[in-house]
């Protein structure tokens, strides 16, 4: 855990995939749609992650020349599109969000996701003020404009806003460049693989769970 001096956080904005939501179902459903073993696609995802490439490249490796957007539309039309259920949330998500709100922190969610994913997440009625996605905003991480929107969503000054994510290159470095504080969550393939990277080292806090995050944010507010 790393802690840097600064004012007490007033708002926390969470990434979605591998931060709040497990992606097991997501990739399993893609493998089934492509007609390949789930382990094969999982291994391809791991390979592109290790190379610092976008995870959708795994789909194109499995099916060369695939138009991922067209495939998404086809899946939806076939009734095999995105799904999100309570069991897709990590166990610490609801307790942590409740605890942060009890501390008086404004809590919101914003990640690189489709509009459908945003709708599904809102349907779970998490204890957050708002849920936003890159598809709705028309801009995705690590674009600085995404973090401009994060600040608007937070309704707090950048230095009073914490962005929490698992992928240092997309979450931590650009958040810090935008003047926000950042917490790196070490879980999921990106969080674990890049935990010791230079990008991860930029984080104000480095945690292994949202339960740990609640503790460090509570401590920061008690002294802020």
């Amino acid at each position: 855990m790393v802690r840097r001096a600064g004012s007490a956080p007033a708002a926390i904005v969470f990434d979605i995939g591998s931060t709040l939501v497990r992606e097991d179902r997501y990739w399993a459903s893609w493998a089934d749609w492509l007609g390949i073993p789930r382990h094969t696609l999982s291994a391809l995802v791991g390979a592109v992650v290790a190379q610092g490439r976008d995870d959708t490249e795994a789909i194109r490796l499995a099916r060369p020349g695939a138009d991922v957007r067209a495939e998404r539309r086809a899946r939806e039309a076939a009734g095999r599109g995105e799904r999100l259920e309570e069991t897709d949330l990590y166990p610490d998500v609801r307790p942590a969000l409740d605890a942060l709100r009890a501390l008086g922190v404004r809590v919101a969610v914003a990640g690189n996701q489709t509009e459908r994913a945003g709708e599904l997440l809102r349907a779970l009625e998490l204890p957050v003020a708002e849920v936003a996605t890159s598809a709705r905003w028309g801009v995705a991480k690590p674009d600085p404009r995404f973090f401009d929107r994060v600040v608007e969503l937070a309704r707090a000054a950048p230095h009073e806003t914490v962005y929490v994510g698992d992928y240092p290159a997309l979450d931590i470095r650009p958040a810090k460049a935008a003047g926000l504080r950042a917490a790196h969550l070490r879980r999921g393939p990106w969080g674990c693989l890049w935990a010791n990277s230079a990008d991860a080292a930029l984080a104000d806090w480095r945690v292994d769970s949202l339960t740990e995050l609640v503790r460090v944010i509570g401590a920061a507010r008690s002294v802020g």
Side-chain angles (χ1 to χ4, degrees):
M1 177 181 73
V2 175
R3 182 179 173 187
R4 303 185 194 277
S7 59
I12 299 181
V13 181
F14 288 89
D15 173 43
I16 300 173
S18 292
T19 296
L20 301 181
V21 176
R22 294 165 51 111
E23 298 192 294
D24 309 54
R25 180 201 300 276
Y26 177 82
W27 288 112
S29 67
W30 266 112
D32 295 345
W33 174 257
L34 296 170
I36 63 175
R38 293 180 176 183
H39 175 70
T40 298
L41 187 57
S42 178
L44 289 173
V45 170
V48 298
V49 167
Q51 295 170 11
R53 297 160 63 187
D54 188 278
D55 55 11
T56 56
E57 289 299 315
I59 297 171
R60 296 187 181 95
L61 287 172
R63 181 175 289 179
D67 182 330
V68 177
R69 290 184 180 180
E71 292 291 344
R72 283 199 183 103
R73 292 193 294 270
R75 288 183 57 188
E76 291 290 345
R80 297 174 61 184
E82 292 183 76
R83 291 174 54 200
L84 187 60
E85 298 176 0
E86 187 69 24
T87 54
D88 294 313
L89 298 175
Y90 286 98
D92 59 3
V93 169
R94 284 193 183 274
L97 298 181
D98 281 331
L100 290 169
R101 282 166 59 100
L103 288 172
V105 177
R106 176 176 169 81
V107 182
V109 175
N112 281 359
Q113 301 287 336
T114 64
E115 180 55 29
R116 176 58 176 159
E119 293 171 357
L120 293 168
L121 198 57
R122 292 182 199 102
L124 291 180
E125 298 183 341
L126 293 173
V128 300
E130 295 184 61
V131 174
T133 65
S134 57
R136 168 170 283 194
W137 283 348
V139 62
K141 297 178 292 184
D143 193 308
R145 294 172 296 172
F146 180 95
F147 291 92
D148 290 340
R149 298 299 300 269
V150 166
V151 173
E152 294 174 6
L153 191 70
R155 299 183 184 176
H159 70 277
E160 296 177 325
T161 300
V162 180
Y163 191 76
V164 182
D166 62 296
Y167 197 161
L170 296 188
D171 298 328
I172 308 306
R173 178 173 289 278
K176 295 297 294 181
L180 283 73
R181 300 166 85 182
H184 178 246
L185 178 61
R186 186 183 177 277
R187 71 177 171 201
W190 296 267
C192 293
L193 181 62
W194 300 108
N196 296 317
S197 67
D199 290 337
L202 296 172
D204 296 271
W205 297 281
R206 300 165 78 175
V207 298
D208 292 329
S209 70
L210 298 188
T211 303
E212 185 179 354
L213 179 70
V214 170
R215 290 198 297 268
V216 298
I217 296 298
R221 286 182 65 82
S222 69
V223 299

